[in-house]
Amino acid sequence: MDSILKPALEKSITYAAYREMVSQLVAKSATTGKDQTEALVNYTKLNDRRMKRWDKTVKVSETIKEKISEFQNKITLLVLTESWCGDAAHIMPVINKVADLNDNIDYKVVLRDENPELMDAFLTNGGRSIPKLIMIDNTSGDVVNTFGPRPSEATHLVNVFKAAHGKLTPEFKEDLQQWYNKNKGQNIIEDLLGMLCELEASVCQ
């Protein structure tokens, strides 16, 4: 695994650099990846607006802030993504809010299609679903947990709908966007806190 993770980490960028890259792509009417279709370019533009909004509006409760600030392990949150991914636009700013609360948490970003070997090591139900967060212990270099492509509540909604209808419809995808807007990142924060607690139980006692 180290032979896959190390090169990805070496070429990873910060969330701030990722946000700047996406803004530059929007200015050029472009998107990440080789597939520069109008649809993907438009999704990138939409996602840039979404991330700007979440960067400003995501709130973390004082109780959770205190718990996250007590986390002692040094970890890296490495996220595989692409600028056109709708789920990523809702999730990545929230990860940033959590990482900003503790200097022991390093948040890095790589593009999925530039890292196929890494992506294929962290498939979801056999698919290259993004965003995919890989939690790495900085001391051992071990992968200690993963998250994605959606938070737990959204994953449940998707699984129930797929079980009933076989696939996700455009109408359901719109409903999922509304769920993200109403939840305001709180389920993502809870899931991330749960991952920290699994690594360091004292955080949640």
Side-chain angles (χ1 to χ4, degrees):
M1 181 57 68
D2 186 57
S3 63
I4 301 173
L5 274 175
K6 190 174 180 181
L9 285 167
E10 287 175 349
K11 64 182 178 182
S12 66
I13 60 175
T14 64
Y15 176 72
Y18 175 74
R19 292 291 296 110
E20 178 61 27
M21 179 183 70
V22 174
S23 295
Q24 291 176 0
L25 288 169
V26 168
K28 297 185 293 185
S29 292
T31 184
T32 56
K34 295 179 181 179
D35 193 357
Q36 297 289 315
T37 65
E38 183 178 358
L40 293 184
V41 168
N42 287 336
Y43 283 134
T44 293
K45 291 177 179 177
L46 174 61
N47 290 337
D48 185 50
R49 294 195 296 272
R50 282 174 174 154
M51 287 188 286
K52 283 178 181 176
R53 184 178 78 247
W54 288 128
D55 285 335
K56 294 177 181 176
T57 61
V58 170
K59 303 294 183 188
V60 183
S61 73
E62 291 303 318
T63 301
I64 292 180
K65 280 183 182 179
E66 184 176 347
K67 290 179 178 179
I68 292 171
S69 70
E70 294 171 355
F71 185 73
Q72 298 292 315
N73 282 276
K74 294 184 182 297
I75 60 170
T76 296
L77 305 180
L78 180 63
V79 175
L80 288 144
T81 191
E82 294 287 343
S83 66
W84 42 259
C85 176
D87 289 293
H90 292 292
I91 293 169
M92 293 180 70
V94 185
I95 298 172
N96 186 57
K97 290 286 184 179
V98 169
D100 274 350
L101 296 172
N102 191 315
D103 290 341
N104 291 325
I105 303 173
D106 196 15
Y107 179 21
K108 296 293 187 180
V109 182
V110 291
L111 296 179
R112 180 190 72 175
D113 294 348
E114 293 180 2
N115 297 273
E117 193 175 5
L118 179 63
M119 184 72 257
D120 286 347
F122 294 94
L123 301 177
T124 303
N125 298 322
R128 292 179 167 181
S129 301
I130 51 175
K132 192 72 171 189
L133 181 155
I134 305 164
M135 181 184 282
I136 303 161
D137 182 292
N138 291 353
T139 302
S140 66
D142 293 339
V143 175
V144 292
N145 214 331
T146 62
F147 167 93
R150 299 181 181 95
S152 55
E153 290 180 21
T155 298
H156 176 71
L157 293 173
V158 167
N159 290 342
V160 169
F161 192 89
K162 276 187 175 180
H165 303 279
K167 63 178 182 178
L168 302 184
T169 63
E171 292 78 13
F172 175 82
K173 291 178 181 179
E174 182 60 34
D175 289 343
L176 190 60
Q177 299 305 316
Q178 293 303 315
W179 177 87
Y180 277 115
N181 291 334
K182 290 177 182 177
N183 186 259
K184 302 183 187 302
Q186 296 310 300
N187 184 219
I188 301 164
I189 293 168
E190 291 162 3
D191 286 351
L192 292 173
L193 177 62
M195 291 169 68
L196 298 180
C197 293
E198 286 184 31
L199 194 58
E200 192 174 307
S202 61
V203 170
C204 294
Q205 289 177 350

